[in-house]
Amino acid sequence: MGPFGNFALSFSIISVLSGCMTLFGFGLVTGGPAVMLWGWALVGLMVLVVGAALAEVTSAYPVSGALYFMASKLGGPRWGYGTGWLNLLGLMGGMAGGCYGTALFAGAWLNLQWGFTPTPERTLMIFGVILLLLATLNLFGVRLVSILNSISVWWHLGGVAVIVGALALVPSHHQPASFVFGEFTNHTGWSNPLYVGLLGLLLAQYTFSGYDASAHLSEETEHAQVSAARGIVRSIFWSWVVGFVLLAGMLFAIQDYAGTMGSATGVPPAQIFLDALGPTAAKALLLVIIVAQLFCANAGLASASRMVFAFSRDGALPFSTTWRRLSRRTQTPVAAVWLSVAVPFVLALPSLYSTTAYTAITSINVIGITPAYAIPIYLRIKNRHLFRPGPWNLGRWGVAVGTAAVVWVGFVTVLFCLPQTRPEGDALVNVNSFNYAPVALVSVLVLAWISWRFKGKRSYGVPAENFDRSASTYEDEVV
C-alpha cells in the first residue's frame, strides 16, 4: 500500500456512513439531536488526541502486531499479551457490530423493495451472508483490499455529499437550528439527563474506532514510519469533519421525530429518507449506505485478520500454527480470515433474543479496542526513557497529549460498561436491557489470564522487531 491506501484503510473502517447511520436511532433515544451533534464534536476532538498519541508510538514501531507489539516493547511480555487480547476483542466486536448494522440496513432496503419483514432470525441470516462475502474478498490478497479501500474513500465522500445535498434541497420542510443544535430527548427509562447524555456519546465513540488498522497493515505499507502514523491522524480528522456534516444534514431533514424512532423498517435513517424524499430516492440512498458499510466491514476484516495472524506468529493464541498460515499465492492469512468472521457471528447470536444486543455489541468494540489504544500510550509515558521516537512524533507535547488520551479512554471504558436502557417498573435491568459488553470484557480478560498462566508466559516473549518470515507457514489452497 502507498500512503493514500493506508489512510483509506482507516478512513473506511471509521466509516461515518456505517457508524453514524447504524447508531442513529440509538442517538435519537439517548439525548437526541443536541447530544448527537455536540457529542460528535467533543468525542471527535478527544479521539484525535488519542489518535495523535497512538500515531507517535506507531511511528516508532510500524509492525503488524501494532498495539500489542508496542506494549511488549515498552512494558514487557505480560503487557503485550493482555493488550493483544483486548485488541482482538475490540476488532471482533467491531466486525460483529459493523456487519450486523449492514444486515439491518439490508433488511430495511428489502422491506421497502419487496415487503420483506426483517425478523431477528432473517437479520442474522443476512449477517452470515455478509460475513461470507467479505471473507471471500479478503482471500484474494492485500492488493484487492487496497483498491477497494481507495474506492471507499471517494464513495464515502460522494455518498455524504449526495445524501446531505438531497436532504437540503428536496424537502419543503426542515427543522430549525434550535432543534438540531439544542433539542434534548430521553427515551432510555433513566431520569438523569447527564447520564443519558453521556450514554449518547456511544454513537460517536463507536464510529471513531478501527483507526489502528493503519498500524496493523504497516508491514504492507510503503514508508510505514510516516505513512501509517499520518494515516491514523488524517483518517480521524476527515471523518470528524465529514461525520458532523452528515449528522447535521440528517437531523435538519427529520419530518416526524416519533415516526422516525418507531420506523417500520427498523432503521430510522430509512424513515427520514422516506418522509423527506419518497420511496424511490430512499431506496437509492439506502444502497449508497449499504455499499459504504460493506467497504467498512471489508477493511475491518483485513485489520482483524492481520491482528490474528501477527498474534499467532508470536505464539499468543491457541492453535497458533493454524492461524499464522499464509497462502503461497496471495500471502493472505487464510485461516485467520475465517476465524475473524466466525467469532463475530458468535458474538451476534444474542441478537436473537435481546432487543439491546446490537448496542451491546458496539459497546464490546468500544470497551475492547479503546483500552488497547491507551495501553501503549500509557507505557510510552511511564517508560519514556525507553521510548525512541520515530520520524513522526509530537515532540515536547508527547507526554501531555498522551496523558489526556489515557484519561479519556479510562472515562469512556467505564461509561460503556453501564446499563444503557432501564426497563419499566422497579427493576434497574432485565434480560432485555442488560449490557453484556462487560461480560465479554471480563471473559476475555479471564481467558487471557488463563492462557498466559498455562501457556503464554512460556511461549510468548517480546516479539522480534525484524521478525523471521519463516515463523509463518504456507498452505496451498484454491481461492
Side-chain angles (χ1 to χ4, degrees), residues 205-243:
Q205 188 65 51
Y206 166 66
T207 303
F208 284 112
S209 64
Y211 46 86
D212 57 315
S214 289
H216 282 297
L217 273 81
S218 55
E219 289 179 22
E220 299 164 84
T221 299
E222 300 170 355
H223 312 297
Q225 284 189 297
V226 174
S227 298
R230 286 178 176 171
I232 291 172
V233 175
R234 289 174 176 175
S235 64
I236 295 170
F237 175 78
W238 287 110
S239 297
W240 188 24
V241 173
V242 174

Side-chain angles (χ1 to χ4, degrees), residues 73-401:
K73 284 292 184 180
L74 293 170
R78 190 189 297 268
W79 279 102
Y81 201 78
T83 302
W85 279 93
L86 282 173
N87 193 191
L88 199 59
L89 171 67
L91 289 171
M92 295 301 180
M95 274 298 298
C99 291
Y100 194 84
T102 307
L104 290 172
F105 271 73
W109 186 87
L110 292 170
N111 175 265
L112 294 178
Q113 183 67 30
W114 291 298
F116 175 88
T117 303
T119 63
E121 294 79 11
R122 289 178 173 180
T123 301
L124 189 67
M125 180 184 67
I126 297 172
F127 173 67
V129 171
I130 290 171
L131 289 174
L132 289 175
L133 170 64
L134 297 175
T136 302
L137 290 174
N138 267 260
L139 292 178
F140 281 95
V142 74
R143 285 189 180 276
L144 178 59
V145 172
S146 182
I147 291 170
L148 291 174
N149 289 334
S150 297
I151 296 172
S152 171
V153 172
W154 303 113
W155 186 274
H156 275 80
L157 294 177
V160 170
V162 169
I163 291 171
V164 174
L167 292 177
L169 297 175
V170 176
S172 58
H173 168 74
H174 290 90
Q175 296 290 344
S178 59
F179 170 87
V180 173
F181 293 97
E183 181 73 13
F184 179 88
T185 60
N186 175 18
H187 298 274
T188 64
W190 300 106
S191 58
N192 188 318
L194 177 60
Y195 180 71
V196 173
L198 291 175
L199 288 177
L201 299 181
L202 176 59
L203 182 153
Q205 188 65 51
Y206 166 66
T207 303
F208 284 112
S209 64
Y211 46 86
D212 57 315
S214 289
H216 282 297
L217 273 81
S218 55
E219 289 179 22
E220 299 164 84
T221 299
E222 300 170 355
H223 312 297
Q225 284 189 297
V226 174
S227 298
R230 286 178 176 171
I232 291 172
V233 175
R234 289 174 176 175
S235 64
I236 295 170
F237 175 78
W238 287 110
S239 297
W240 188 24
V241 173
V242 174
F244 189 88
V245 173
L246 175 63
L247 286 174
M250 295 289 293
L251 292 170
F252 271 113
I254 291 177
Q255 307 295 305
D256 177 4
Y257 200 93
T260 299
M261 287 194 301
S263 174
T265 67
V267 174
Q271 195 62 46
I272 293 176
F273 298 152
L274 278 171
D275 294 342
L277 306 173
T280 301
K283 287 184 282 189
L285 293 184
L286 276 178
L287 282 178
V288 170
I289 293 174
I290 291 168
V291 172
Q293 291 171 338
L294 289 172
F295 278 131
C296 167
N298 186 64
L301 180 55
S303 179
S305 61
R306 268 48 174 196
M307 170 61 197
V308 172
F309 161 73
F311 213 30
S312 300
R313 185 176 64 192
D314 293 319
L317 288 181
F319 311 108
S320 288
T321 54
T322 298
W323 313 127
R324 71 188 186 203
R325 290 177 181 169
L326 294 173
S327 162
R328 288 187 182 275
R329 186 165 64 86
T330 65
Q331 300 292 296
T332 300
V334 177
V337 169
W338 287 116
L339 182 66
S340 300
V341 296
V343 173
F345 187 82
V346 173
L347 286 177
L349 288 177
S351 65
L352 291 172
Y353 63 85
S354 173
T355 56
T356 59
Y358 176 63
T359 51
I361 292 170
T362 57
S363 293
I364 288 175
N365 173 240
V366 171
I367 68 173
I369 207 167
T370 310
Y373 292 158
I375 292 174
I377 299 171
Y378 164 74
L379 293 173
R380 175 257 185 271
I381 298 169
K382 180 175 181 288
N383 301 319
R384 65 194 73 170
H385 60 286
L386 297 175
F387 182 69
R388 298 291 179 266
W392 196 102
N393 62 78
L394 298 170
R396 60 192 179 93
W397 294 100
V399 173
V401 172

